[in-house]
Amino acid sequence: MSDPFFHPVSGFDLPRFAGVPTFMRLPHVPADHPRFKDVQVGLIGVPWDSGTTNRPGPRHGPRQLRDASTMIRAQHASSGMRPFETVNCADLGDVGPNPADIQDSMARITAFYAQVVAAGIRPLTAGGDHLTSLPVLRALAKDGPLGMIHFDSHTDLFNSYFGGTMYTHGTPFRRAVEEGLLDPKRVIQIGIRGTMYDTEDRDFAAANGIRIVTIEEFFERGIADVMQEARAIVGAAPTYVSYDIDFVDPTFAPGTGTPEVGGPNSYQALQVCRELNGLNIVGADLVEVSPPFDQSGNTAFLGVSIMFEMLCAMLTPTKG
């Protein structure tokens, strides 16, 4: 059982529109807080989108996600899990980026997460664009490469943009494989679709053993079958989960910078997370929520609902 200090504020005690919004109404416990050492799962914001190559805006994602997350309650509707009573969860605050310098920002993010890892805290991240995942992985994979289950409409395996820019939201997992942060044979990318520049990214995946499940295959086989394969690929070893909100069809998640039509609906977006139960998840992220394109707020609410699902999956006992 978790320490009551780490329980979220109930909507029966303080209306959800009142108070300072933190992730899921959890206590704010920065690194200098006396209870930081007692946190087991930390929710972290990375308000940074310097890797964006088209429509900017995910730097504002963590703030909107926090506000939307005040609607998250204590119990999972179908499983009955009460995650905040299972382990000590807290909002660890935001990584302060340098919006004028990609390399400096990545160094700051890695340093922040290194401190989190050293404290034995498993991170659940709200981005930020998808380049955010790379510096996070640099901290998490210090002891060896991780497996990864990646939900997205894009592979993010390109080598460079604009004639030599190596760090964009389209390149993080190419860099992660090259740096030995990911074991490519334990990586599966699910939901890939949309028009293409060329096949460079898919050629890299094929040459390195990365499994790509296109949206056509995803719908033809169904969620349970695809996720069974995903579980087999990553196995029982340490695994990272990266969830780009543009995995979801833009009808349900319009607030993102690079939407692709023909994707899953909002219920299917939650279902794939429920198939993560029992994996050895050492960290997860939800990225690319862009408030300027989310006038209804529905994208952010779906985003934090996905984060809650991933949190529950992270806390399900690992199966041997």
Side-chain angles (χ1 to χ4, degrees), residues 195-282:
T195 54
M196 302 161 64
Y197 292 111
D198 53 37
T199 62
E200 178 207 334
D201 57 333
R202 299 195 188 200
D203 293 343
F204 178 84
N208 289 275
I210 295 172
R211 175 73 166 101
I212 292 178
V213 178
T214 64
I215 199 65
E216 292 82 5
E217 181 180 354
F218 176 81
F219 281 125
E220 181 179 345
R221 291 173 56 191
I223 289 173
D225 191 33
V226 168
M227 292 306 297
Q228 183 178 10
E229 181 185 2
R231 299 169 66 87
I233 286 173
V234 299
T239 296
Y240 191 74
V241 178
S242 189
Y243 201 125
D244 189 323
I245 198 67
D246 72 34
F247 168 73
V248 188
D249 190 273
T251 301
F252 305 93
T256 192
T258 315
E260 301 288 356
V261 298
N265 62 32
S266 55
Y267 178 58
Q268 292 164 329
L270 304 181
Q271 281 184 295
V272 295
C273 296
R274 295 174 187 179
E275 296 291 336
L276 299 169
N277 286 345
L279 293 176
N280 184 3
I281 301 172
V282 297

Side-chain angles (χ1 to χ4, degrees), residues 272-313:
V272 295
C273 296
R274 295 174 187 179
E275 296 291 336
L276 299 169
N277 286 345
L279 293 176
N280 184 3
I281 301 172
V282 297
D285 65 46
L286 183 283
V287 298
E288 297 285 1
V289 170
S290 185
F293 303 103
D294 189 27
Q295 294 182 354
S296 68
N298 288 342
T299 308
F301 184 51
L302 177 57
V304 295
S305 298
I306 290 166
M307 289 179 69
F308 182 78
E309 295 284 348
M310 292 197 293
L311 173 64
C312 290

Side-chain angles (χ1 to χ4, degrees), residues 49-59 102 129-131 154 156 161-162 165 167-171 195 197 246 254-260 288 290 292-293:
D49 61 8
S50 295
T52 301
T53 57
N54 184 25
R55 304 196 303 180
R59 67 180 61 187
I102 286 179
D129 71 46
H130 221 148
L131 185 56
H154 313 101
D156 298 344
Y161 277 45
F162 304 104
T165 301
Y167 297 97
T168 77
H169 64 168
T171 69
T195 54
Y197 292 111
D246 72 34
T256 192
T258 315
E260 301 288 356
E288 297 285 1
S290 185
F293 303 103

Side-chain angles (χ1 to χ4, degrees), residues 23 43-47 61-62 65 113 124-128 132 284-287 307:
F23 280 122
L43 284 72
I44 302 166
V46 183
L65 287 161
Y113 279 80
L124 176 56
T125 302
T132 298
D285 65 46
L286 183 283
V287 298
M307 289 179 69

